[in-house]
Amino acid sequence: MSSTHIPHIPGQKRVPLRTKVTWGFGGLADNFMFNTLTALGTLVYVQHFGLSPALAGMALAFPRLIDAFTDPWIGNLSDNLKTKYGRRRPLMFFGVIACALLLPLLWTPMGAETAQNPWFSNIPFFYIVTIGSLLAVAYTLFVVPYTALGFELTPNYDERTRVIVWRMYIGLIGSVSAGWLFRLAAADTFPNLGEGAFWVTVGVAVIVLISGLIPTFGCKEDLEIETQEPIKLLPAIKYTMTNKPFVILFIAYVTIIVALFSAQSIAPLLMLHYVFNGSEKAIGDFTGWFTTLAVGLSYGSMFFIGYLSTRFNKRSAMLVGLCFVLLGTILNFFAIDPRWPWALYVVGGITFIGMQGCWLMIDSMVADVCDDDELETGRRREGMFSSVKGFALKAAQGITFGLGGYMATAAGYDPQVVDASGLDEATAVKMKALLIGFQSLGLVLAIFLMWFYPISRQRAEETQRLLEAKAGKDT
């Protein structure tokens, strides 16, 4: 594939701190958009609205799966868009506005009296699927061009990591806050859990709106790249999914997400009814403190894994991070026990040392893949690579919402029996075994795949040299 115009290498070798911080605020909006439904969804829909775990998992899964297929279209639109405000920022603006409006509506389903009906006559189920799908598309309108904008800020191998880390520095505030959302929603201030979830999410929507608009208006784009020839969606997908480094990264990323996020629908039920004996306030306190610990150690993870990436390379740093996550995951089998809930903090600490650094490496690696792609295609296509990564995240999350609910049901979890007599030991052990066995297998596969990731520091720097020579020759 060739192009009549070769865009110049975008960005600066060193990005000003002000630009890093301004762009990083979008990470706060991203974290709240993504984590609010995860933090509240299963428990609110099962405990308050009365859906079965399997049906709640399906209701949360469908919007992610539907939206996953809109990601490549929005990514390609972002790469090809030509406006006086840039390719990315107009889409970011409309996406963040829509998200702020839709978030509180997640907790206002109609027809609650049909919550125990089969799916085809279950009004709350269809309501959640509809609002969730609209929210997921709005999230994509913001996060795909936002991520692509960050990839474009610098071509430098290590500076990319130093830019992307600001998304996580600021965004993790959203993560720690999301960990307390259920505790706030379950507070005695509100008459019930549904009302609490609604008003807590109104506050979240205000934060999303402000933090999402900061990079939308505060970051500038290089309009010269808009002069490149547009490319249709199917050829764009073809060239993206035939880039060998990206394919390896894509499969590994999907594997990690499916493995780790399979806990979304089953772990809250296991923790609530097994470890904390059905106490909503106890699990709310635990989730808040556990997330606070996670965020604190995540900053350490970014420094640790980031240091390894600059000392060696990104692939080596990623492998070290995955090994920490795998060790913590295996130890969870022993830590999830009502006799010693403190062990969850210890084991979680091991996991968190590696986890956030892995997310940092993946984003930084995708930015390097964009250079590899430009050398091959002559185009800057950060939007498409960002969107396919988003597709992987949402498709995998959709699968795991449904999978987690299914695992709970397959292990023998019955909400009516649990409400009447609690969660028995045998069912809890089956739930643990299914969850941790599945997670561990996925992480081992991801480690195997990342071993073959081919873009080293030397290859990335050589690609930059060739692109600079090519751009100078064209000029």
Side-chain angles (χ1 to χ4, degrees):
M1 173 180 170
S2 62
S3 173
T4 57
H5 173 76
I6 305 291
H8 66 79
I9 307 300
Q12 308 165 68
K13 294 294 178 74
R14 295 291 177 184
V15 179
L17 179 61
R18 179 179 177 181
T19 302
K20 292 176 182 176
V21 174
T22 299
W23 180 77
F25 263 99
L28 184 59
D30 176 15
N31 269 269
F32 272 120
M33 290 175 190
F34 189 81
N35 288 324
T36 298
L37 186 57
T38 302
L40 296 173
T42 297
L43 289 175
V44 174
Y45 292 140
V46 173
Q47 294 297 116
H48 178 71
F49 292 109
L51 271 69
S52 69
L55 199 58
M58 289 173 61
L60 294 169
F62 283 163
R64 295 296 183 188
L65 293 174
I66 293 169
D67 177 49
F69 291 95
T70 68
D71 273 35
W73 178 78
I74 292 174
N76 197 52
L77 172 64
S78 179
D79 283 338
N80 293 330
L81 193 63
K82 300 179 187 296
T83 78
K84 64 180 180 179
Y85 303 107
R87 301 185 294 169
R88 318 295 186 190
R89 296 190 298 155
L91 299 178
M92 292 166 59
F93 176 79
F94 288 111
V96 74
I97 295 291
C99 277
L101 293 174
L102 289 167
L103 273 167
L105 299 182
L106 288 167
W107 320 112
T108 58
M110 301 172 289
E113 66 278 5
T114 67
Q116 293 298 317
N117 289 7
W119 71 270
F120 51 82
S121 61
N122 194 305
I123 296 173
F125 171 77
F126 284 105
Y127 179 92
I128 296 164
V129 169
T130 301
I131 299 299
S133 296
L134 292 173
L135 177 64
V137 173
Y139 172 71
T140 299
L141 275 175
F142 174 80
V143 80
V144 166
Y146 166 72
T147 303
L149 181 61
F151 290 166
E152 293 173 340
L153 291 178
T154 178
N156 183 271
Y157 182 81
D158 289 320
E159 185 69 359
R160 278 177 170 152
T161 303
R162 289 189 284 265
V163 168
I164 292 169
V165 78
W166 276 95
R167 175 183 187 169
M168 299 179 180
Y169 285 159
I170 301 174
L172 282 172
I173 298 171
S175 294
V176 69
S177 301
W180 288 98
L181 292 182
F182 183 80
R183 181 64 183 89
L184 291 173
D188 295 334
T189 308
F190 303 109
N192 56 62
L193 191 57
E195 289 275 339
F198 175 82
W199 288 111
V200 167
T201 309
V202 168
V204 168
V206 173
I207 297 171
V208 164
L209 183 63
I210 295 171
S211 57
L213 290 176
I214 289 174
T216 302
F217 289 104
C219 291
K220 295 183 178 180
E221 296 183 53
D222 191 339
L223 299 183
E224 184 179 341
I225 301 178
E226 291 188 14
T227 61
Q228 68 183 359
E229 293 179 2
I231 180 174
K232 293 182 179 179
L233 178 60
L234 291 181
I237 294 174
K238 173 187 173 183
Y239 286 110
T240 301
M241 296 310 298
T242 53
N243 181 291
K244 181 181 176 181
F246 183 72
V247 170
I248 293 174
L249 194 60
F250 174 85
I251 298 174
Y253 183 58
V254 169
T255 304
I256 295 167
I257 295 295
V258 170
L260 295 182
F261 282 32
S262 59
Q264 289 176 128
S265 295
I266 185 172
L269 301 174
L270 187 59
M271 301 297 292
L272 173 62
H273 296 291
Y274 180 58
V275 178
F276 296 106
N277 199 30
S279 172
E280 293 178 353
K281 289 183 174 58
I283 191 176
D285 287 335
F286 166 78
T287 303
W289 288 115
F290 189 74
T291 306
T292 303
L293 172 68
V295 170
L297 289 176
S298 291
Y299 284 106
S301 174
M302 289 186 289
F303 284 116
F304 173 52
I305 303 299
Y307 168 76
L308 292 179
S309 76
T310 56
R311 179 68 177 82
F312 302 103
N313 57 60
K314 296 173 187 178
R315 182 183 72 95
S316 299
M318 179 76 175
L319 288 171
V320 171
L322 285 174
C323 287
F324 273 99
V325 177
L326 176 61
L327 177 60
T329 298
I330 293 171
L331 291 176
N332 257 326
F333 187 84
F334 307 99
I336 299 175
D337 193 303
R339 293 173 293 179
W340 42 70
W342 54 266
L344 291 164
Y345 294 100
V346 177
V347 172
I350 297 172
T351 304
F352 300 139
I353 290 172
M355 186 177 294
Q356 193 64 37
C358 290
W359 305 140
L360 174 61
M361 289 301 101
I362 287 171
D363 276 355
S364 192
M365 287 173 173
V366 173
D368 296 332
V369 167
C370 292
D371 290 340
D372 190 79
D373 174 72
E374 184 187 357
L375 191 62
E376 177 67 24
T377 68
R379 286 177 166 46
R380 297 301 306 183
R381 301 191 307 118
E382 286 86 354
M384 178 53 71
F385 283 103
S386 170
S387 68
V388 174
K389 175 178 169 286
F391 167 85
L393 174 62
K394 292 169 187 176
Q397 190 188 34
I399 292 169
T400 54
F401 267 130
L403 182 63
Y406 172 77
M407 283 196 291
T409 302
Y413 183 95
D414 185 324
Q416 295 181 347
V417 173
V418 171
D419 285 342
S421 56
L423 183 64
D424 65 276
E425 181 79 18
T427 302
V429 171
K430 289 179 184 178
M431 291 170 71
K432 282 199 297 182
L434 282 172
L435 174 63
I436 293 168
F438 183 81
Q439 289 183 317
S440 300
L441 182 63
L443 289 167
V444 169
L445 178 58
I447 290 170
F448 173 78
L449 290 168
M450 286 307 305
W451 187 265
F452 297 97
Y453 178 74
I455 299 182
S456 62
R457 175 184 298 276
Q458 292 74 20
R459 174 167 167 173
E461 291 173 350
E462 175 63 12
T463 298
Q464 282 293 324
R465 187 190 67 76
L466 293 172
L467 287 173
E468 289 170 359
K470 195 172 184 181
K473 181 179 178 181
D474 289 343
T475 302

